[in-house]
Amino acid sequence: MTRPGMGGRARRPGPGPRAAGMTARRPGGKAARAGLAALLLLGASPAARGQERPALPGIGAADPRRPVDHAAEPWRALGRVQTEAGGRCTGVLVGPRTVLTAAHCLVAPRTGRLVRPGAVHFLLGYHLGGWAAHARAAAYRIGEGYDPAARRPAGADWAVLTLERTVGAPDRVLPLLREAPAPRMPLALAGYQQDRPEALLADTACRVLGLGRDAAGLPLLLHDCAGTRGASGAPLLARDAEGRWAVAGIASAAAAALALGAAVPAGAIRGVP
């Protein structure tokens, strides 16, 4: 599927798992919680009939996403996660050989089962067919109680990949923000998205809306960052108390008709060295 090493090229992967997003910008608290309920029950809405080119979920008319430099801080910690079953998502390096992504990114679309670790590839710093480093997963751990076939609960939709070898120097590794971020805290979200899978697109002007709970009572971080399919597993980035970039959460899903996303808070993720 891929050739390891710098400057390699990857085959064109198939369509990745659905990563819904937000279509209207900046909702208030009550609207956000109503939108979250709709997300958890219904998922993304189908495209409206009669559209010549259906709008991507999670973007809306005023698209705030812009290309970012994949080699600059903090984006250089990101890479593409892809499976030999055709899935394609985003991941972030949180240790020299440890990657965070979404659990649903590891589900084979046809069978609804988790793929084997060796079928998962991480391409650090992927950009226009090249990458800084490549490794397969040697093992992975997903959220306790996560059901791959049902792809829920949302609060357990996280995966910690242990790569077969070290790929990241210290300047490419981001820490986790273990404390829950406060409402209105500035965020950024970047990923390898369906309409631009060969480069990173980022919304750098979004914020935390607050904390919620999924149907199983697990915590979720609510935000208004724009992102569409392929941004699943991408880190919600925030500044810590010292002003350093850190991972506040892992993007899981969002409402199709509201500027509302749901992420697993970094403090709820277990198994990161």
Side-chain angles (χ1 to χ4, degrees):
M1 176 178 177
T2 57
R3 188 180 306 166
M6 294 184 64
R9 297 188 64 84
R11 290 184 185 178
R12 184 180 299 275
R18 177 175 297 177
M22 304 66 64
T23 54
R25 299 285 290 170
R26 319 297 186 237
K30 291 184 178 180
R33 283 158 180 76
L36 176 61
L39 161 71
L40 296 176
L41 293 173
L42 304 176
S45 301
R49 294 183 180 180
Q51 290 184 344
E52 182 177 349
R53 183 180 179 184
L56 290 171
I59 304 304
D63 187 351
R65 301 171 305 155
R66 298 293 181 268
V68 291
D69 183 354
H70 67 285
E73 185 186 19
W75 322 115
R76 61 191 177 204
L78 277 64
R80 207 158 80 170
V81 174
Q82 51 194 55
T83 73
E84 294 172 6
R88 184 179 66 223
C89 286
T90 304
V92 59
L93 202 63
V94 294
R97 53 186 294 229
T98 305
V99 172
L100 289 186
T101 190
H104 76 255
C105 296
L106 310 181
V107 179
R110 293 185 179 180
T111 65
R113 298 179 180 177
L114 293 168
V115 300
R116 58 186 176 83
V120 182
H121 297 252
F122 180 65
L123 285 71
L124 177 65
Y126 183 90
H127 184 70
L128 301 179
W131 50 80
H134 161 269
R136 295 174 185 261
Y140 61 72
R141 178 180 180 180
I142 64 172
E144 183 177 357
Y146 186 76
D147 182 346
R151 302 190 185 187
R152 63 171 70 95
D157 188 12
W158 56 265
V160 178
L161 310 181
T162 301
L163 303 179
E164 61 186 359
R165 62 185 183 87
T166 296
V167 298
D171 67 344
R172 284 189 176 269
V173 174
L174 289 177
L176 270 61
L177 194 68
R178 291 296 188 180
E179 295 184 2
R184 307 304 299 163
M185 185 178 192
L187 295 174
L189 175 66
Y192 296 95
Q193 304 180 43
Q194 179 176 320
D195 53 334
R196 190 79 181 274
E198 300 298 309
L200 282 172
L201 286 182
D203 181 353
T204 60
C206 47
R207 293 182 180 271
V208 174
L209 297 179
L211 290 174
R213 297 275 175 179
D214 67 11
L218 298 175
L220 289 172
L221 181 61
L222 309 183
H223 63 87
D224 64 354
C225 300
T228 193
R229 299 180 181 96
S232 288
L236 280 179
L237 300 174
R239 299 275 191 178
D240 65 14
E242 284 74 43
R244 301 169 300 185
W245 285 106
V247 178
I250 292 297
S252 173
L258 287 173
L260 169 66
V264 180
I269 297 172
R270 303 289 180 262
V272 176

